[in-house]
Amino acid sequence: PEGSSTPKQTLSYYVPVPVTLHVYDVGASGTVSLVNRLLRPLGTGLFHCGVEVYGWEWSYSFVISDDEDETECEGTGVFCCRPQCCEGHSYAMSVPMGRSSMSEDEVLCLLHLLEKEWQVRDYDILKRNCCHFCQEMCLRLGVGNIPNWVRNMAEAGANLERTAELNCCRTEELMVQCCSGGNGFTQGRVDEVVVDRVRNSPPSPKERLWELKL
């Protein structure tokens, strides 16, 4: 009726924001870039990747600060950087992933959860790396799976490793070579090679979420 005042309801909604997957050739030497040019037509390659949303690119790696003991790695492996500027890798391309209806605050809450779930000590170059993190983040943002060609090299390596583990130590010869420090690679030696390779070019740990003043 006239003269009566009724409170106006304010509708709260968010305009969907773009989510982009940035893909890098691993390392900065250019060698992997050449290899990836050969592997890309086959639908695979050696890639680092990060997810951009609300102006920051997020990923996961084996990162430790200078004052941390490498034998006692604690804390999150989640870090952020400016889009297309991940230190230690060569930017290759960007893949539009669609749009997310999550607000910026909701995305930050999600990242706080991911920080807890993706600890640096759990990093595995085959089974739990940046590609797996980006896959998980994109799914939680509601934009679906990242392209198969980005992650299938790691998955193939993980399957190969599982096959090797199943066959390991089934013969006396394998037991000597694989588990007793023979001429074959032991798991410890493999881990050292992997960790050293990743540590040579990690993104700056100063750009982790808990260090951002949002």
Side-chain angles (χ1 to χ4, degrees), residues 124-127 132 151-167:
D124 186 290
I125 198 167
L126 295 178
K127 301 175 183 177
H132 300 99
R151 65 180 193 269
N152 62 9
M153 178 66 80
E155 292 177 352
N159 290 333
L160 181 62
E161 183 182 60
R162 281 192 290 270
T163 302
E165 288 172 352
L166 288 174
N167 291 314

Side-chain angles (χ1 to χ4, degrees), residues 102-120:
M102 295 178 68
S103 69
E104 188 169 7
D105 286 342
E106 289 172 333
V107 170
L108 291 176
C109 288
L110 168 61
L111 285 160
H112 279 299
L113 291 176
L114 292 174
E115 273 197 323
K116 296 176 182 178
E117 296 172 4
W118 293 77
Q119 296 290 296
V120 65

Side-chain angles (χ1 to χ4, degrees), residues 3-204:
S4 64
S5 60
T6 57
K8 295 182 179 179
Q9 292 184 342
T10 302
L11 297 178
S12 177
Y13 67 94
Y14 301 100
V15 177
V17 295
V19 177
T20 305
L21 182 74
H22 297 301
V23 182
Y24 301 77
D25 296 320
V26 172
S29 66
T31 302
V32 176
S33 298
L34 177 59
V35 171
N36 280 346
R37 281 199 291 270
L38 300 175
L39 293 176
R40 182 68 181 87
L42 303 177
T44 189
L46 298 170
F47 301 110
H48 169 79
C49 56
V51 176
E52 179 189 351
V53 61
Y54 285 107
W56 286 94
E57 180 181 322
W58 299 90
S59 193
Y60 171 72
S61 186
F62 187 94
V63 290
I64 58 175
S65 60
D66 295 336
D67 57 352
E68 286 181 307
D69 186 344
E70 295 179 2
T71 63
E72 298 180 1
C73 299
E74 296 294 337
T76 184
V78 176
F79 67 93
C80 70
C81 64
R82 294 292 182 183
Q84 304 179 13
C85 297
C86 186
E87 183 181 345
H89 301 292
S90 303
Y91 171 76
M93 67 187 73
S94 297
V95 180
M97 294 298 300
R99 291 179 174 269
S100 173
S101 59
M102 295 178 68
S103 69
E104 188 169 7
D105 286 342
E106 289 172 333
V107 170
L108 291 176
C109 288
L110 168 61
L111 285 160
H112 279 299
L113 291 176
L114 292 174
E115 273 197 323
K116 296 176 182 178
E117 296 172 4
W118 293 77
Q119 296 290 296
V120 65
R121 65 176 176 269
D122 299 325
Y123 183 89
D124 186 290
I125 198 167
L126 295 178
K127 301 175 183 177
R128 193 174 176 83
N129 60 27
C130 59
C131 298
H132 300 99
F133 172 83
C134 290
Q135 167 76 358
E136 179 73 12
M137 185 173 176
C138 282
L139 287 175
R140 295 203 189 185
L141 288 171
V143 294
N145 297 308
I146 68 174
N148 287 331
W149 56 265
V150 176
R151 65 180 193 269
N152 62 9
M153 178 66 80
E155 292 177 352
N159 290 333
L160 181 62
E161 183 182 60
R162 281 192 290 270
T163 302
E165 288 172 352
L166 288 174
N167 291 314
C168 179
C169 304
R170 289 187 177 178
T171 68
E172 182 177 353
E173 181 181 358
L174 282 174
M175 187 180 295
V176 170
Q177 291 184 351
C178 181
C179 301
S180 302
N183 294 329
F185 270 93
T186 65
Q187 183 62 42
R189 289 173 62 192
V190 172
D191 288 343
E192 289 174 9
V193 171
V194 169
V195 170
D196 287 343
R197 184 177 299 171
V198 174
R199 189 180 296 119
N200 282 338
S201 58
S204 173

